[in-house]
Amino acid sequence: MVSLFKRFHISNAEELQPDRQALYALMLALCLAISPHLMRLPVWFAALAFIVFLWRYLIINRKAHQPGPVLRFLGVITLIYMLHKHYGTLLGRDAGVAMLIALTMLKFLELKTLRDYMLVVFLCMFIILTSFLYSQALWLGIYLFAVVIVLFSVMMYLNHGSRDHLLAMLKRSASMLMLGLPVAALLFVLFPRLQGGLFGLPGDSHSGLTGMSDTMKPGTINELNLSEKVAFRVDFSSPVPVANQRYWRGLVLEEYDHGLWKERRFKKTAVSELKYSLKDVVEYTVLQEASNKKWVFALDMPVLKPDNLEWGPGRSLRAARGLRERLQQSLKSVSQYYYEDISDDTLAKNLDVSSVSGERVISLAGELYRQSGSDKNYISTILAYYRNNAFFYSLQPPMLDEHPVEDFMLNTRKGYCEHYASSFTMMMRLAGIPARVIVGYQGGEWNEQGDYMIVRQSDAHAWSEVWLDEEGWVRVDPTAAVAPERIEYGLDAIRQLVAEGKEPGSLSDEKIKIMLQMSLLANTLKGVTMFWDGVNTRWYKWVIGFGKENQSFLLKWLGFQQANWRDMVILLVILMSIVVSLQALLLFHRRKIFDPAIVQYQKFCNRLQGIGIVKFKHEGPRAFADRIIKLRPDLKTPVSLVTNTFIELRYAGNTGTFQQRKLAQAVRSFHPKRNR
């Protein structure tokens, strides 16, 4: 029985007194468990940890007194007060996680028995789980898996009589977790998926999400341009569109109120039909990051609406509620299309100029339209007006006065995409041409490591659409008239030009390409970054985003065309039984063959067999040694040394490295000869 307990490292139910090393190991485990939360916790948590750990150190090393019940009660009340003052509540994700960590720290002040130590270990396990409320990134999963190994080692240390091999315990803990991974994988893949979450997360669990607003005024999109966060990723099934066709439609803004654009109130109605050729259809899958907004971004122009999405104004797409987790959606779009008609209500809304002020800009629109003679020519005239009248693309434009369109067109003439889209749209309306603003993203960076496109918040963009009777809604991007680099090469090209003191539109394509070339080191770093992004993307698609559709696809691949709960449970039980049985066989086989003490003792027996002394199957080590000594008294010393050392290793619990080396040396020196 002792051998069985030792072989599988089972506690013998005798409570072992935690020692100083156990305390240090537990402190380290707690620090590792809370490390992902460090940047989210209040600064005063550092002082709390210092006081608690120092007091605990003094208790165990200097025999200091533990805090009494009154002091502990006051400490808890003070802690709750400080948490409420910092977060304004004791509920929710942030406040709840902070309270769990703080109370776990305070538990160190009353550690006495093994039960107290084990309770802290289990609390650390809960703290590890809370990290996934903030992120499910691959690196975090790997790190927390390592922390769980440390916690298992601490539990093993607390419950094991031999406490002199921490490294061996770490290896043993890792082995135990690795043995559990196949079972966990089977449960993950085959356990029936439920619709929706098991529980609702508090509201603050979605704080900090960035996304595009439902209104536009100068400055709103530029705020997104400062962020390098990923907005969405796109995996193309069709040829990838060229740069000047990568417009990602988000919101259609038709109401204008003194510089502010917003969506008009929209009732669910049939959307206008498009005419297009099947050869122009582009198929792709969008993996959109959580934003807490409803808008789903599609390549301009989406032609089909998935069942789980809704049509918004102007054939925009949106979810039923804010995206609080990543959304993976297969879509179809066309680059060449024609609208068949336009409703009177839409026509009137996109001709509204009631909020445009400034006689000079109204006169300018009328004069330029008279010179043009037609709607198409007028569009070209306005674009030429931007190019030929010292308009500049600027990331830091001056403020506009109470007549924003007039001030921009005739005075400041510096701005980014919002300024140009807004002013162009109003210049169209002033000439009697229906026009609206579209906001979304333009461009994208190709990830060669994963064969998909990354669209970042910095790619946020605004452009215009005008209605032409012979063509329908036509996309016009006035930004391209003054900063073609923004459309062809992205915002990085604009930033590089500004850094070198050059104006957008002043360099040829060849010079821009030379300017954007990166050094070998920069290219290497970018390659590593793209590789890691590809790994994380696949981690989400196949692990974090593994849902009912993925499960159904996998089961069909396995031959279950119409799998139900009963079939899945039966399959799960069968596979788990096979895996557990194989693991048990491997475990016993490994223990039998690779126990170093047994290996050395078997060598000892083989050498005795070479001189004619064979160990019987029923014979134990001590009985075998006694028989050898009776037969060969001259071998008493080496045989006793090998046998006693082997018994200490296998049955007395003395598994130290010194004993292992002692046995190996004794066997290595044992070379018996036959009697003559």
Side-chain angles (χ1 to χ4, degrees):
M1 182 62 69
V2 174
S3 176
L4 181 64
F5 273 67
K6 179 181 181 307
R7 172 175 292 185
F8 296 102
H9 311 284
I10 302 173
S11 174
N12 58 10
E14 294 180 4
E15 183 167 313
L16 302 170
Q17 187 65 28
D19 57 11
R20 186 179 306 173
Q21 199 167 4
L23 174 65
Y24 297 156
L26 196 58
M27 287 180 177
L28 174 62
L30 176 64
C31 292
L32 293 175
I34 67 175
S35 58
H37 295 291
L38 288 180
M39 302 305 295
R40 294 185 283 266
L41 295 174
V43 177
W44 52 265
F45 262 60
L48 175 65
F50 177 78
I51 293 172
V52 169
F53 290 161
L54 177 61
W55 199 335
R56 187 69 240 177
Y57 175 83
L58 294 176
I59 291 172
I60 198 170
N61 288 281
R62 305 294 175 84
K63 306 300 181 183
H65 293 291
Q66 286 188 319
V70 175
L71 188 57
R72 293 201 302 268
F73 176 76
L74 292 176
V76 171
I77 295 299
T78 303
L79 178 66
I80 292 175
Y81 168 76
M82 295 182 69
L83 287 172
H84 188 275
K85 184 177 180 181
H86 182 84
Y87 292 103
T89 181
L90 295 177
L91 304 177
R93 179 189 61 173
D94 296 338
V97 171
M99 180 176 288
L100 175 61
I101 294 173
L103 293 178
T104 304
M105 288 182 183
L106 290 182
K107 184 64 180 175
F108 274 82
L109 294 178
E110 57 178 12
L111 291 177
K112 292 181 181 178
T113 64
L114 177 63
R115 176 183 176 279
D116 295 327
Y117 279 74
M118 292 297 293
L119 178 59
V120 173
V121 171
F122 292 132
L123 288 173
C124 288
M125 294 288 188
F126 278 105
I127 292 173
I128 286 175
L129 289 176
T130 62
S131 296
F132 293 111
L133 295 177
Y134 295 89
S135 173
Q136 298 86 41
L138 176 59
W139 72 266
L140 182 64
I142 295 173
Y143 171 77
L144 293 179
F145 185 82
V147 177
V148 171
I149 293 176
V150 174
L151 286 170
F152 269 50
S153 301
V154 173
M155 284 197 296
M156 195 175 296
Y157 182 87
L158 290 169
N159 289 277
H160 205 277
S162 176
R163 292 178 170 176
D164 55 346
H165 291 294
L166 292 177
L167 183 59
M169 289 184 179
L170 282 171
K171 292 180 179 178
R172 204 174 302 139
S173 299
S175 299
M176 291 170 59
L177 286 175
M178 294 302 292
L179 283 173
L181 283 181
V183 176
L186 284 174
L187 287 170
F188 173 79
V189 172
L190 295 177
F191 195 84
R193 283 309 194 259
L194 300 177
Q195 292 289 351
L198 295 178
F199 53 88
L201 292 177
D204 64 347
S205 62
H206 310 292
S207 61
L209 300 178
T210 58
M212 187 163 289
S213 172
D214 58 351
T215 61
M216 187 196 80
K217 62 180 179 180
T220 53
I221 290 182
N222 195 47
E223 291 174 0
L224 290 177
N225 289 153
L226 299 176
S227 172
E228 290 299 319
K229 289 185 177 181
V230 175
F232 52 90
R233 298 172 177 86
V234 189
D235 191 356
F236 287 94
S237 303
S238 305
V240 181
V242 295
N244 60 14
Q245 291 297 324
R246 297 176 198 156
Y247 283 84
W248 306 94
R249 193 181 192 86
L251 295 100
V252 178
L253 310 181
E254 298 174 302
E255 290 189 356
Y256 179 78
D257 184 10
H258 297 92
L260 177 68
W261 287 91
K262 57 184 178 180
E263 281 189 333
R264 65 188 173 104
R265 294 183 179 180
F266 181 75
K267 296 180 179 179
K268 293 181 181 179
T269 57
V271 295
S272 300
E273 292 297 325
L274 293 180
K275 285 186 176 180
Y276 57 90
S277 173
L278 292 178
K279 68 178 182 179
D280 294 326
V281 174
V282 180
E283 298 184 14
Y284 55 99
T285 300
V286 172
L287 179 61
Q288 187 167 326
E289 295 293 312
S291 62
N292 215 12
K293 307 291 194 303
K294 294 181 179 181
W295 356 116
V296 176
F297 297 93
L299 191 66
D300 202 13
M301 174 72 72
V303 294
L304 293 176
K305 179 188 72 64
D307 294 337
N308 61 323
L309 300 181
E310 301 173 353
W311 285 119
R315 296 187 73 90
S316 58
L317 291 173
R318 60 201 52 204
R321 59 182 61 87
L323 300 180
R324 295 184 171 181
E325 56 186 17
R326 287 188 178 101
L327 173 69
Q328 184 169 314
Q329 192 68 63
S330 297
L331 300 171
K332 292 183 180 181
S333 297
V334 289
S335 56
Q336 303 294 328
Y337 52 88
Y338 171 69
Y339 271 89
E340 292 186 339
D341 56 19
I342 183 173
S343 66
D344 293 338
D345 179 58
T346 301
L347 187 65
K349 183 60 66 176
N350 289 281
L351 284 171
D352 180 27
V353 293
S354 59
S355 295
V356 179
S357 57
E359 294 296 328
R360 296 167 59 206
V361 73
I362 296 174
S363 299
L364 175 66
E367 180 182 348
L368 292 177
Y369 188 82
R370 285 191 296 272
Q371 294 175 5
S372 303
S374 68
D375 292 353
K376 268 196 169 182
N377 289 339
Y378 180 68
I379 294 172
S380 301
T381 299
I382 296 298
L383 295 177
Y385 183 85
Y386 286 129
R387 284 191 293 267
N388 301 328
N389 287 276
F391 280 83
F392 298 101
Y393 189 96
S394 173
L395 298 176
Q396 295 180 330
M399 296 291 292
L400 301 177
D401 62 17
E402 66 272 16
H403 310 297
V405 176
E406 181 179 87
D407 193 29
F408 176 72
M409 293 295 294
L410 298 172
N411 299 323
T412 65
R413 297 182 177 180
K414 289 184 178 181
Y416 30 83
C417 60
E418 296 128 295
H419 296 77
Y420 288 98
S422 178
S423 61
F424 178 86
T425 302
M426 294 315 302
M427 291 297 289
M428 293 296 107
R429 290 187 180 186
L430 288 171
I433 302 174
R436 59 193 184 186
V437 172
I438 314 297
V439 293
Y441 296 86
Q442 195 285 321
E445 182 179 20
W446 186 253
N447 185 350
E448 296 181 355
Q449 307 294 333
D451 288 332
Y452 61 87
M453 182 167 291
I454 302 174
V455 180
R456 304 183 185 276
Q457 296 294 351
S458 57
D459 296 316
H461 193 58
W463 62 94
S464 300
E465 280 185 345
V466 298
W467 177 268
L468 300 177
D469 291 335
E470 64 274 16
E471 298 181 43
W473 287 110
V474 177
R475 181 178 66 237
V476 182
D477 190 350
T479 302
V482 294
E485 301 91 344
R486 168 63 186 87
I487 309 304
E488 293 292 335
Y489 304 102
L491 195 64
D492 284 343
I494 301 295
R495 291 171 177 165
Q496 188 72 17
L497 284 170
V498 172
E500 297 187 8
K502 297 181 175 62
E503 294 291 343
S506 62
L507 297 180
S508 63
D509 285 348
E510 291 75 14
K511 290 183 177 180
I512 292 175
K513 291 177 181 178
I514 294 173
M515 180 189 69
L516 293 176
Q517 287 180 351
M518 296 187 295
S519 64
L520 178 61
L521 177 60
N523 267 319
T524 302
L525 292 175
K526 182 178 179 180
V528 172
T529 301
M530 289 298 184
F531 172 78
W532 183 245
D533 188 87
V535 171
N536 270 310
T537 300
R538 285 172 175 79
W539 165 258
Y540 171 77
K541 286 184 176 180
W542 295 107
V543 179
I544 304 301
F546 187 86
K548 192 173 182 180
E549 292 182 1
N550 306 76
Q551 191 178 58
S552 298
F553 175 80
L554 178 62
L555 291 172
K556 287 180 180 178
W557 183 76
L558 293 173
F560 293 85
Q561 298 299 323
Q562 298 293 332
N564 52 36
W565 279 58
R566 179 176 173 274
D567 296 334
M568 293 170 66
V569 171
I570 292 174
L571 178 63
L572 182 61
V573 171
I574 293 173
L575 291 178
M576 285 185 63
S577 300
I578 294 173
V579 169
V580 172
S581 300
L582 290 174
Q583 287 180 337
L585 288 174
L586 290 174
L587 182 64
F588 278 97
H589 183 67
R590 182 183 65 181
R591 292 292 182 181
K592 180 179 179 181
I593 294 179
F594 294 105
D595 189 311
I598 293 180
V599 171
Q600 294 298 330
Y601 189 73
Q602 188 62 49
K603 290 180 181 179
F604 169 74
C605 294
N606 291 339
R607 290 177 183 177
L608 286 168
Q609 188 175 353
I611 63 172
I613 302 176
V614 180
K615 182 179 180 295
F616 301 132
K617 291 185 178 180
H618 67 273
E619 206 169 22
R622 181 67 67 192
F624 184 41
D626 292 341
R627 186 163 63 87
I628 296 170
I629 293 171
K630 287 181 180 180
L631 294 173
R632 293 285 302 272
D634 58 305
L635 298 178
K636 178 179 180 180
T637 300
V639 168
S640 297
L641 176 61
V642 171
T643 302
N644 292 335
T645 307
F646 175 70
I647 290 173
E648 287 181 8
L649 282 168
R650 289 290 297 162
Y651 305 106
N654 191 355
T655 58
T657 305
F658 173 76
Q659 292 295 108
Q660 295 282 4
R661 288 199 302 266
K662 182 179 177 181
L663 177 62
Q665 179 62 37
V667 173
R668 195 162 42 245
S669 304
F670 183 66
H671 297 286
K673 296 181 180 179
R674 288 180 179 271
N675 277 337
R676 302 192 177 203

